[in-house]
Structure formats: C-alpha cells, structure tokens
C-alpha cells in the first residue's frame, strides 16, 4: 500500500494453523495474565484495606500495581481474543490506541520508580523531615506528575510513529509494536520517531544517573546506622525497589536495543512475552517476598 490514508487496518502476525498449538498459546497467555492480575490486585487490596500500609511507600506501590494491571490489560485480552477467533486484523485506530496506552503506562512505570527512589532517599537520609516532605498532597501531586509525564511520553512516541506513511500493513508481531511499525514506514517522517527515541534515551540516562546517585547516598546513610537491626530494616525497604528497577531496565534494554527481526521467530515471541508481562508479574512477588508488613496484610486479607 502506497499511502497510510488507504490503510484502515493492520494485519498482525499469523497464528499457527494447528488448533492445538493455538490453544496451548492461549492457555500460556491466560495463565500469565491471570497470575499478573492476581498478584497486583492482592497488593492493591492489601494497601487499601490495611491502615498500617497507608504510608507514601505503600501508596506508590499500590499505584505501580494499578499501572501494571493497566499495561498488561492493554495487550493481552486482545491477543487472547485474537487467538480464540484466529483473527489477525486490528483497525488503524485500535493500533494507535494500543501503542499510546501501552507506551504511556511503561513511561508511567519509569517515572514512578524514579519517584519511589526519591521517597526512599527522603525516608532514610532525611527521616526527621519525611512526614513534612512526603505529605499526602505532595504524594498525590507526584503521582499526577507521573501520569502527565507518562502520557506525554506515550503521545510523543505514538505521534512520531504514526506521522509516517506506511508501505505495508503487515506487522510481524502479535500486537502493534513500535519497532515493527517503523519497519513499514516509507517516508522520512519516521525520523520524528527516531528523534523521540533519542530524547527518550537521554531522559533515561538522566533518570538512571539520578537513581544511582540517590542510592549511593542511601547506602552511605544506611552504613552509618549504628545498629545491625536498623540497617537491615532500612535495606529491606530499598532492596525490592532496586530489584524491580533493575529487572525493568534489563528486560527493557534487552527488548528494545536489539534489531527487530525481519522474520518472526519463537525467540522473538519469547522476548515479547518477557518484556511485556514478566516485570508486571514479578513486581508483586518481589515486593512481598521479604516485606513483613505486606505479608501480614495479605495474611489478614486472605484469613491465613
């Protein structure tokens, strides 16, 4: 197709012609999706119903869980429905919407993890000023800023991607993915998305430096705590955040710094699953694994 004005829908990656294989893929996606929803809704419920968790740290954790539920829900229900119906088509507007919301929620996660690092910095390095700095109004404003930044990020990439004309409507992926869409571009307008990617890379470097500097100061403050128990308690509130951020960055870099394959492969499918659902699925587990307050709240919630 010579011009995007004639493209009313995109043709996604062809599913297997073998019905049993399609069912197996559907069951895999359904299991991962339900596991992600269950873990994140447990975190949300624990924070909402346990007043001991009504603190900035757990408020931000609840928002992260909400964003993770939203990001996987943008992709996986549609993928599963397409598997069941063996449908490969997605409307142009549906593709735009999917890209906008998925990238926006990814941007929100990055911004929120940055805010969470600042929260831990204030809690450990400035404990006497913590309640003053991280008051309810400030936390709500921070979350509002996170969502504004995230949707600006999503809008920037969506606009940069769909500004170009497309020479084909065949997307070698199970959903509308920016690297795959850029391969279809046949005009110089795709350079707008390249500019957006460069801007994102620079912003990512700034965020990474901020978090590294923040944690250098946090760990320096922790080492000055006289009691071993105090150091362990301080570290227990920081290590889950460091782990979540590390997993997010590692998987994100692995997924997006690679060259998009010209032909679909099982490896590409595995990488897609890994970066789109593994971080949201692991986040609740990482935060609850060694957090006694979360464990206690979940025990009350589930009546253990």
């Amino acid at each position: 197709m010579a011009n995007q004005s004639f493209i009313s829908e995109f043709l996604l990656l062809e599913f297997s012609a073998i019905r049993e294989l399609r069912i197996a893929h559907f069951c895999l996606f359904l299991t991962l999706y339900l596991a992600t929803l269950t873990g994140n809704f447990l975190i949300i419920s624990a924070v909402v119903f346990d007043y001991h968790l009504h603190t900035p740290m757990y408020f931000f954790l609840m928002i992260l869980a909400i964003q993770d539920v939203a990001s996987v829900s943008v992709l996986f229900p549609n993928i599963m429905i397409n598997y069941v119906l063996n449908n490969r088509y997605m409307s142009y507007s549906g593709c735009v919407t999917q890209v906008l919301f998925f990238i926006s929620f990814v941007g929100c996660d990055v911004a929120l993890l940055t805010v969470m690092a600042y929260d831990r910095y204030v809690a450990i390095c400035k404990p006497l000023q913590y309640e003053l700095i991280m008051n309810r109004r400030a936390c709500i404003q921070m979350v509002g800023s996170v969502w504004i930044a995230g949707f600006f990020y999503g809008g920037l990439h969506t606009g940069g991607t769909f500004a170009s004309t497309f020479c084909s409507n065949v997307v070698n992926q199970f959903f509308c993915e920016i690297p795959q869409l850029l391969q279809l571009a046949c005009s110089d307008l795709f350079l707008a998305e390249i500019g957006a990617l460069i801007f994102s890379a620079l912003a990512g470097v700034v965020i990474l430096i901020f978090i590294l500097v923040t944690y250098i100061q946090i760990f320096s403050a922790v080492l000055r705590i006289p009691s071993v128990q105090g150091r362990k308690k301080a570290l227990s509130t920081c290590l889950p955040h460091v782990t979540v951020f590390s997993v997010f960055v590692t998987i994100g870099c692995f997924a997006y710094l690679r060259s998009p394959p010209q032909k679909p492969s099982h490896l590409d499918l595995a990488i897609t699953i890994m970066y789109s659902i593994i971080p949201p699925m692991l986040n609740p587990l990482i935060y609850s694994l060694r957090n006694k307050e979360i464990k206690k709240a979940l025990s009350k919630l589930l009546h253990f």
Side-chain angles (χ1 to χ4, degrees), residues 21-294:
L21 195 56
R22 289 205 309 272
I23 293 173
H25 283 162
F26 172 81
C27 292
L28 172 64
F29 285 134
L30 181 62
T31 301
L32 293 174
Y33 182 60
L34 290 179
T36 303
L37 292 186
T38 301
N40 282 288
F41 276 126
L42 283 174
I43 293 292
I44 294 167
S45 301
V47 175
V48 169
F49 292 112
D50 193 323
Y51 74 93
H52 293 103
L53 302 184
H54 292 180
T55 64
M57 182 177 78
Y58 295 109
F59 171 69
F60 293 136
L61 178 57
M62 180 185 70
I63 298 300
L64 180 65
I66 292 171
Q67 292 174 181
D68 284 344
V69 168
S71 68
V72 295
S73 297
V74 168
L75 299 182
F76 283 85
N78 183 260
I79 292 174
M80 290 186 291
I81 290 171
N82 287 347
Y83 262 111
V84 171
L85 301 178
N86 197 22
N87 175 41
R88 296 174 57 195
Y89 293 95
M90 175 171 283
S91 68
Y92 184 88
S93 59
C95 192
V96 173
T97 303
Q98 191 175 71
V99 169
L100 172 63
F101 280 98
F102 179 68
I103 299 299
S104 294
F105 285 123
V106 169
C108 287
D109 276 0
V110 173
L112 186 62
L113 288 170
T114 307
V115 168
M116 292 170 79
Y118 176 72
D119 171 69
R120 291 300 83 208
Y121 164 76
V122 177
I124 294 172
C125 298
K126 300 181 179 181
L128 299 179
Q129 302 175 47
Y130 183 71
E131 290 188 7
L132 179 64
I133 296 174
M134 301 301 294
N135 58 69
R136 182 183 181 86
R137 182 179 178 183
C139 291
I140 292 173
Q141 288 176 341
M142 287 179 185
V143 170
S145 300
V146 162
W147 287 343
I148 290 171
F151 277 86
F152 171 77
Y153 178 80
L156 187 69
H157 281 288
T158 305
T161 300
F162 290 95
S164 60
T165 54
F166 298 109
C167 292
S168 171
N169 69 336
V170 180
V171 181
N172 285 326
Q173 189 50 275
F174 295 108
F175 62 94
C176 288
E177 186 184 39
I178 287 180
Q180 296 293 342
L181 290 169
L182 291 180
Q183 288 192 326
L184 309 180
C186 56
S187 73
D188 290 338
L189 290 175
F190 80 93
L191 293 174
E193 175 59 11
I194 301 300
L197 290 171
I198 293 172
F199 170 79
S200 299
L202 292 174
V205 169
V206 171
I207 288 171
L208 183 60
I209 291 172
F210 173 81
I211 291 180
L212 287 175
V213 171
T214 297
Y215 270 99
I216 288 171
Q217 296 185 60
I218 287 173
F219 290 134
S220 298
V222 168
L223 292 175
R224 292 195 297 269
I225 297 175
S227 69
V228 175
Q229 192 64 29
R231 288 197 294 271
K232 285 184 177 179
K233 185 177 180 181
L235 285 174
S236 69
T237 66
C238 296
L239 291 180
H241 176 266
V242 173
T243 306
V244 166
F245 184 76
S246 300
V247 168
F248 189 88
V249 170
T250 302
I251 292 178
C253 289
F254 182 68
Y256 275 95
L257 293 182
R258 66 190 172 93
S259 299
Q262 296 297 323
K263 293 183 179 180
S265 65
H266 293 296
L267 176 62
D268 191 47
L269 174 60
I271 292 172
T272 300
I273 294 172
M274 185 172 66
Y275 84 77
S276 59
I277 201 167
I278 295 301
M281 186 174 66
L282 288 181
N283 289 350
L285 182 63
I286 293 170
Y287 270 102
S288 60
L289 199 60
R290 297 184 62 183
N291 190 304
K292 292 181 180 179
E293 292 184 337
I294 287 285

